[in-house]
Amino acid sequence: MNIPNKIELANIPTPIQAIFFEGFEILIKRDDYTGIEWTGNKIRKLEYLIFDALQKKADVLITCGGVQSNHARATAAVASRLGLKSILYLRGKEPKTYDGNLALDKLFGAEIRFVTQEEYDNIQEIVEKEIASLKKKGLKAVFIPEGGSSALGIWGYIECAQELSKQLKSFKNKPSHIITAVGSGGTLAGLVLGKKLYGLKSNLIGVNVLKTSGDFEKIVYELANECSKKYRLGVKVNTKDFTILDGYSKEGYENISKDKLELLAFIAQDYGLLLDPVYTGKAFFGMVDYFVYQGNEFNKLMFIHTGGIFGVFPKIKKYLDTLENSVF
Ligand SMILES: Cc1ncc(COP(=O)(O)O)c(C=O)c1O
């Protein structure tokens, strides 16, 4: 097995906390506490990707995502921490006011380029041109893929699976299911590989916040097997090694339905736990709906809180309106 090197940026291991929800104990793996200005799950992947970029003598990190991309903001934060420049290609129109992650991108000194969906579909080509033009100016730019989800980036979650496997040794009652949000597939792909390598017993469940379960079965399968091949891990992943729970993002990636907002406001009020509207909120809702309310079988649940906190702020009025309409 060829384990790639990484630069240490994250506060890990992250703690595991328990909450009691509708009479069930739910463990929360606090990957929102990983550090570098609340980067959530992204910093684990960036530890590997940025080591590689530094080996390549990068002056500039280029990445891409949606206008409120957590990954783009995390990359900008880390770049400024390391004295590098960052360029972010964000899919969507420039809004009149910058808030949430976008405002932070600016604060961290990133150069922001807004692109249409059509341009985004050809992002590789656009980025290659940018890299070539920076080269003429004597600057080395390295591209980090969307969500940091590549055969290298997913090492962050292979390592997280190892961390979990060690942490759970002291738990008498281990989680039967571990649940995470799925956006570009890297977090789940890393966990799936790490489960095989480090003997994690729990079933792995991803809640997709965009696309379909079929899309992510393919993406996670391909990412995990590409990584296994590239780093000679000697394991083969198949689509039965994980489950994607579909149907929890019908309102669309950037939106959140009223019933989900009500749950998130309740969780904030009763547990002091903040979940974002794009990723963790939808995944947490999916988890409690599928297991607790629909009664599908489980012994104990673990939710990976992957961060995304700044996504709360562009929608904060909606969160507060939910409280105003609450009967409590
Ligand atoms: C807060 C948050 N949680 C979960 C995810 C999903 O992780 P992945 O892209 O590795 O599927 C993302 C990014 O897409 C994210 O920003």
Side-chain angles (χ1 to χ4, degrees), residues 82-327:
L82 296 175
L84 306 173
K85 291 251 165 282
S86 60
I87 299 177
L88 311 177
Y89 281 88
L90 304 182
R91 186 185 58 238
K93 281 203 187 111
E94 180 175 11
K96 280 201 193 90
T97 42
Y98 280 32
D99 60 8
N101 286 306
L102 182 62
L104 294 179
D105 294 342
K106 206 161 172 93
L107 197 58
F108 290 132
E111 257 183 66
I112 302 166
R113 315 222 199 287
F114 293 94
V115 290
T116 62
Q117 179 67 53
E118 223 183 344
E119 289 169 317
Y120 198 83
D121 293 340
N122 290 317
I123 202 69
Q124 199 71 36
E125 223 174 277
I126 295 176
V127 167
E128 271 161 30
K129 277 192 194 144
E130 174 96 62
I131 292 176
S133 109
L134 287 167
K135 195 174 172 198
K136 282 189 194 144
K137 294 179 190 156
L139 293 170
K140 171 78 183 171
V142 170
F143 179 57
I144 296 184
E146 186 183 59
S149 290
S150 64
L152 177 60
I154 70 173
W155 271 94
Y157 273 85
I158 296 180
E159 194 187 341
C160 179
Q162 184 182 25
E163 180 179 309
L164 273 172
S165 164
K166 277 190 203 151
Q167 284 178 314
L168 289 172
K169 274 203 180 108
S170 62
F171 282 64
K172 222 169 123 211
N173 204 354
K174 299 187 182 17
S176 56
H177 295 78
I178 297 178
I179 296 99
T180 183
V182 173
S184 60
T187 301
L188 185 58
L191 290 173
V192 170
L193 277 174
K195 170 178 164 162
K196 290 198 177 246
L197 292 170
Y198 299 109
L200 200 60
K201 296 279 181 293
S202 320
N203 295 301
L204 296 174
I205 314 285
V207 179
N208 57 308
V209 303
L210 71 170
K211 298 184 181 163
T212 66
S213 51
D215 292 328
F216 278 111
E217 271 164 20
K218 187 166 182 287
I219 291 169
V220 171
Y221 168 88
E222 284 178 0
L223 254 178
N225 285 312
E226 184 195 340
C227 176
S228 178
K229 194 166 166 216
K230 185 165 178 187
Y231 297 98
R232 300 193 184 157
L233 305 186
V235 294
K236 177 99 182 94
V237 164
N238 73 57
T239 51
K240 290 205 182 74
D241 292 327
F242 59 94
T243 304
I244 307 282
L245 279 190
D246 210 340
Y248 292 104
S249 193
K250 287 193 182 127
E251 63 272 60
Y253 171 69
E254 274 151 18
N255 303 320
I256 178 143
S257 59
K258 196 165 159 285
D259 52 349
K260 292 193 187 81
L261 267 174
E262 279 170 5
L263 176 71
L264 301 196
F266 166 73
I267 294 289
Q269 288 219 314
D270 274 38
Y271 299 91
L273 182 68
L274 202 50
L275 297 163
D276 80 288
V278 182
Y279 295 96
T280 55
K282 287 179 182 133
F284 194 91
F285 182 95
M287 170 182 76
V288 299
D289 181 58
Y290 184 80
F291 289 104
V292 178
Y293 294 132
Q294 289 183 34
N296 285 292
E297 210 181 311
F298 69 96
N299 281 330
K300 195 171 184 175
L301 302 173
M302 171 181 269
F303 182 75
I304 305 193
H305 192 324
T306 43
I309 294 312
F310 302 112
V312 171
F313 296 100
K315 295 263 188 309
I316 194 71
K317 189 169 175 316
K318 286 194 166 187
Y319 278 69
L320 296 177
D321 286 351
T322 306
L323 294 181
E324 274 159 30
N325 298 329
S326 158
V327 289

Side-chain angles (χ1 to χ4, degrees), residues 31-48:
D31 264 19
D32 50 331
Y33 290 173
T34 49
I36 305 254
E37 312 321 297
W38 300 281
T39 44
N41 62 340
K42 303 307 174 195
I43 196 70
R44 289 189 185 261
K45 302 176 190 176
L46 286 171
E47 287 195 322
Y48 290 90

